[in-house]
Amino acid sequence: MALRALKFASLTAAASGIYLYGNKFLDPNDFGVVRVGRAIATTAVITYDYLTSLRSVPYGSEEYEFLKSQVHLRSAERLRELCCSNRGTFIKVGQHLGALDYLLPEEYTRTLKVLHSQAPQSTRQEIEQVIREDLGKEILLLVVKQIFPDFEFMWLVEEAKKNLPLELDFLHEGRNAEKVAHMLKNFDFLKVPRIYWDLSTSRVLLMEFMEGGQVNDRAYMERNGINVNEISRNLGKLYSEMIFVNGFVHCDPHPGNVLVKKCPVSGKAHIILLDHGLYQVLSESFRMDYCRLWQALIKADMKRVQKYSRRLGAGDLYPLFACMLTARSWESVNRGIDQSPVSASEDMEIRSNAAAYLPQITQLLNNVPRQMLLLLKTNDLLRGIESALHTRASASSFLNMSRCCIRAVSTYQRSKSHSLYRRAQISLTEALSLWQINLYELFLWLKGSQLGNWVIALLRRMQHFTY
């Protein structure tokens, strides 16, 4: 009865606790043994809590659901305390888990989301100690694998190995900031802090100070006269451009790294993008498959959804993959993800299925290309922002994605064509497709505007007089 709940403990406590401590040298001088002790103690307490609290309660009963929610909350708070006590890498993992809305219970994500903006600071020495790794990590993972066979860990370890040293190189972060600022210079609403290179090293990064409200703070935007829908729409434009067109993606857009501010001079709302340590570079073949997959998802073309999901490593789990990418139910994916907003019942169904399909989800995460992992994390963070702003699954976001996918695929096709006639044909098809999207967007605007309502009312009255 408590086994399903215990799987949640394995996902959270073990994945983000035990495996991280496996990379510490048991050297009293750097207190590695203390961190190991905290990990073992926290994991043991969480596991014991799940086993004993739910052992004598009928599975599926109201009492069971209530107690399970309480255990989730206690365990999430213990995990948050663990992350805050050890800082460094643990904060990063806690932030990542806080974005896994499709996978973890709400009690975990709500509790761990605090780490997006209120994380304790670590000294450079402490961070360097945390990323000293390898001895013992894989061995410990094998032990955990024997205890919790449903969850695969190695992909998480490999990604941490690759990304953490890059995030700690401040010169690398500065170059990323300048690259994305130049790449997206046509978006006048985007602000990226200027880097002062003469005062920066690999250990010290000095940049322009910028301030604003967090991008998920709807109340702040309303107080400062910032259009919430415009912010959501512009954020979607930024990430569609990064993912589909450029293949260079800022992969840590949690609310503490994305600020908004109204310019006192122009009155325009700016999006300020911070923390440029973690970027994902997408290969051309991956980017094209991902573009075509999203085009298929938006058009509800199930044959192409299956085709490109398989090409991206989903295999027979392509329905689950489509649901994870869109955070929609399989029924909504088949009907068309732009046809209706996410309902409360659908959101509950997604969370329930995440628990039921935990082994399949972890298998999928272990099989997809490594490039996909950070994109899934980025999708989750952006989806969380949209949810907080009440703009989730808006038609404008899908239209912007469609534009970028069309441009990206057309540019790729032109680069592979040696025929002037063929290139002209591709450009014409691109222009027509973009024109259709613009026309549809105009229709949606008229439909939702006061002017549009007035025109529709007038046409209906004229039709009434005709008869």
Side-chain angles (χ1 to χ4, degrees), residues 21 35-36 71 92 104 112 119 129 132 157 167 180 190 204 231 233 236-237 241 300 333 371 378 411-412 415 457 460:
Y21 293 105
R35 293 188 173 96
V36 171
V71 177
K92 287 291 182 183
L104 294 181
L112 294 173
Q129 288 173 354
R132 291 174 188 158
V157 177
E167 290 193 73
V180 80
L190 174 64
V204 177
I231 291 295
R233 184 167 56 250
K237 286 181 181 178
E241 194 80 15
V333 171
Q371 298 171 79
T378 303
T411 300
Y412 172 77
S415 71
R460 284 175 178 171

Side-chain angles (χ1 to χ4, degrees), residues 21 58 68 92 105 153 209 227 237 251 263 307 325 376:
Y21 293 105
K68 184 177 71 172
K92 287 291 182 183
F153 293 92
F209 175 73
N227 188 311
K237 286 181 181 178
C251 287
C263 177
K307 174 183 177 181
L325 278 178
L376 286 170

Side-chain angles (χ1 to χ4, degrees), residues 252-292:
D252 204 12
H254 67 70
N257 287 341
V258 186
L259 308 181
V260 294
K261 186 176 183 180
K262 191 170 186 176
C263 177
V265 178
S266 65
K268 291 183 177 180
H270 292 158
I271 294 177
I272 303 169
L273 197 58
L274 306 175
D275 193 352
H276 299 270
L278 184 58
Y279 273 75
Q280 178 67 69
V281 179
L282 308 180
S283 68
E284 187 175 65
S285 60
F286 176 92
R287 185 166 56 89
M288 287 300 102
D289 286 340
Y290 195 61
C291 279
R292 289 175 172 129

